[in-house]
Every structure is written in structure tokens, then in C-alpha cells.
């Protein structure tokens, strides 16, 4: 699997994502600057990393969603290319319209940074199949704007169609219906606030992020 990570101005989790991908795939990850206009040929999986694009000013992710490379990502995601956005990457995916809803300021108005227990609510997705029978995982969160919001109709649709992939066990930010991660209708685009790239080495305090990347790898 040939993977790519997009770097926006002020991204600070892009290298973490690249290291995680290289550990799982055994292949070098392509680092793509946001002003590029097309992805390299042959890319199988794209990660939009967490970490304060454009300094976290204005609505989080809104400026990054207008970066030149994003148009090509949106086009190819609609064609079936697997894309995952973690934290700020989740915000960007919502701003592009690839995923419904929006991320608001945490209900506590405080930054949260801690290991977070999650429930896998769709173990058959392209991003969770390698977890097999494992229902709960611990993956760290670190955000100030992770409060997922959508209207009731959208939330009902997401839950009834199996598009809610992760829920929080103990909601850290006030997200609607404890939602931590969702996918698109095609199942090839995932957005989640927790950081699986920070849970791939025992020295991180846990390795529950590994199977997310393995799930994508094994889907080819």
C-alpha cells in the first residue's frame, strides 16, 4: 500500500502519521505539501493529519479545506480512494463536505489531552476490520474543538446506516451522541478526533492505533 500524508502550514502531526504508516506498511510515505495540485500517481491511501493547520485560526479546518491539493483529494475520494482525517483532519473533511456535520469548541471550553477509551460501533468498516472481536480501544485525544455536531436527521442517518465508527466511552468534549468518528456513505472516508498515529508503539502507552492502519492495508 502506497500512502501519502498532506502537510498544511502549521501541521504538527504529519510526521507522526508518516512514521505510523511506514511502520505498518513497510513502505516510505509520500509527504505532500498543501499547495500541490495533484496527488502522485499510484497513491492508495491519504491521511489528513491533526495539528492546527493555519495556526488553528478562524473555523478549524476551513482554510485548509481550500488548499489546492484538497480539490484533487475530494475528487479521488468520491471515486473511492481511501482517505482518513485525524483531529484537525476530521475538521477538514467536514469542511470539504466529504463528511457531514462540524466540529465545535469543546463543551468545557478547555483543551483536552489524554488517553481516551472508545467503543468500536462498526467493526466491519474498512478502517476497523482488523480489530476483529475487540470492542473497546484506547486512543489518545488532544483537541480544543472536537465537539461533533450535526442536526437530528443527520445523526439518525449516521447511526442507522452504520456510519458511526467510533463512540467515546465517557464523552470528553460534548460530542453529539458520543460520536468520535464517522465515515462517508461509500465507507472509504473516515474522520475521527482521536489520534491513532499516536498509539502504534508501546512507548506511546498503547498500540491500539495499529489495527486501524492494518485494516486499510488488508482491504486491498
Amino acid at each position: 500500500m502506497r500512502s501519502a500524508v498532506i502537510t498544511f502550514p502549521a501541521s504538527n502531526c504529519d510526521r507522526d502519521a508518516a512514521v505510523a504508516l511506514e511502520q505498518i506498511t513497510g513502505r516510505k510515505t509520500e509527504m505532500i505539501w498543501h499547495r500541490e495540485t495533484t496527488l502522485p500517481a499510484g497513491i492508495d491511501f491519504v491521511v489528513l493529519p491533526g495539528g492546527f493547520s493555519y495556526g488553528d485560526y478562524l473555523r478549524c479546518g476551513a482554510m485548509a479545506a481550500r488548499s489546492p491539493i484538497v480539490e484533487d483529494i475530494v475528487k479521488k475520494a468520491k471515486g473511492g480512494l481511501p482517505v482518513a482525517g485525524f483531529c484537525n483532519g476530521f475538521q477538514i473533511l467536514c469542511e470539504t463536505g466529504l463528511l457531514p456535520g462540524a466540529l465545535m469548541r469543546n463543551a468545557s471550553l478547555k483543551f483536552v489531552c489524554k488517553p481516551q477509551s472508545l467503543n468500536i460501533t462498526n467493526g466491519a468498516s474498512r478502517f476497523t476490520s482488523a480489530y476483529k472481536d475487540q470492542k473497546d480501544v484506547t486512543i489518545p485525544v488532544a483537541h480544543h474543538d472536537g465537539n461533533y455536531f450535526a442536526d437530528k436527521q443527520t445523526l439518525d442517518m449516521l447511526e442507522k446506516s452504520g456510519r458511526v465508527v467510533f463512540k467515546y466511552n465517557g464523552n470528553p468534549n460534548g460530542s453529539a451522541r458520543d460520536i468520535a468518528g464517522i465515515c462517508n456513505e461509500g465507507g472509504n472516508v473516515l474522520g475521527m478526533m482521536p489520534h491513532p498515529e499516536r498509539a502504534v508503539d508501546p512507548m506511546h502507552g498503547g498500540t491500539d492505533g495499529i489495527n486501524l492502519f492494518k485494516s486499510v492495508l488488508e482491504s486491498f
Side-chain angles (χ1 to χ4, degrees), residues 1 12 31 34 37 59 71 141 160 162 171 189 198 209:
M1 182 176 76
N12 65 14
M31 304 301 293
H34 77 117
T37 55
R59 191 171 67 248
E71 182 176 347
V141 295
K160 289 177 181 175
N171 192 332
V189 178
R198 295 184 183 177

Side-chain angles (χ1 to χ4, degrees), residues 101 166 209:
F166 295 104

Side-chain angles (χ1 to χ4, degrees), residues 80-92:
L81 177 70
V83 177
F86 309 133
C87 196
N88 186 218
F90 185 14
Q91 296 159 352
I92 294 168

Side-chain angles (χ1 to χ4, degrees), residues 103-119 139-148 166-181 192-195:
L103 282 306
M104 305 189 304
R105 187 133 296 185
N106 295 344
S108 65
L109 303 182
K110 295 180 180 178
F111 190 90
V112 294
C113 182
K114 63 177 184 176
Q116 176 64 51
S117 176
L118 306 174
N119 179 244
I139 295 178
V141 295
H143 58 251
H144 199 277
D145 298 87
N147 184 353
Y148 182 74
F166 295 104
K167 283 194 173 187
Y168 297 111
N169 292 321
N171 192 332
N173 51 36
S175 285
R177 303 188 189 179
D178 301 327
I179 288 174
M192 61 187 293
M193 284 312 294
H195 287 265

